[in-house]
């Protein structure tokens, strides 16, 4: 996650604190697509914050509507 203007814009819907990491749920701007981002450090993100979503092609997973993993290889 980064500042607006860096990556795909989105709005934080929920932040779940899990000890030393966080799960951040973001709805991408202009769509109903929701992504879940695992952060290995605790941040001060709040619901409603506008962020930029940056995807590391070496470290992401896609799931279909039924919750099954999508293999891109």
């Amino acid at each position: 996650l980064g500042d607006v203007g860096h990556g795909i814009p989105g709005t934080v819907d929920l932040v779940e604190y899990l000890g030393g990491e966080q799960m951040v749920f973001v709805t991408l701007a202009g769509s109903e697509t929701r992504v879940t981002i695992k952060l290995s450090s605790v941040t001060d993100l709040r619901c409603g914050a506008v962020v930029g979503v940056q995807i590391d092609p070496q470290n992401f997973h896609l799931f279909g509507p039924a919750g099954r993993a999508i293999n891109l290889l």
Side-chain angles (χ1 to χ4, degrees):
L1 284 178
D3 296 326
V4 177
H6 295 94
I8 304 164
T11 302
V12 175
D13 298 316
L14 176 69
V15 179
E16 185 176 0
Y17 297 92
L18 303 170
E21 61 187 26
Q22 293 175 310
M23 300 298 281
V24 182
F25 300 85
V26 177
T27 298
L28 301 180
S31 74
E32 295 181 14
T33 302
R34 191 175 200 196
V35 296
T36 305
I37 301 161
K38 180 172 129 181
L39 300 177
S40 58
S41 61
V42 176
T43 66
D44 62 350
L45 285 172
R46 303 270 185 237
C47 292
V50 178
V51 295
V53 177
Q54 300 172 356
I55 299 170
D56 177 355
Q58 299 298 317
N59 194 22
F60 78 100
H61 307 281
L62 294 177
F63 297 89
R68 293 184 162 222
I70 297 171
N71 188 353
L72 297 176
L73 299 177

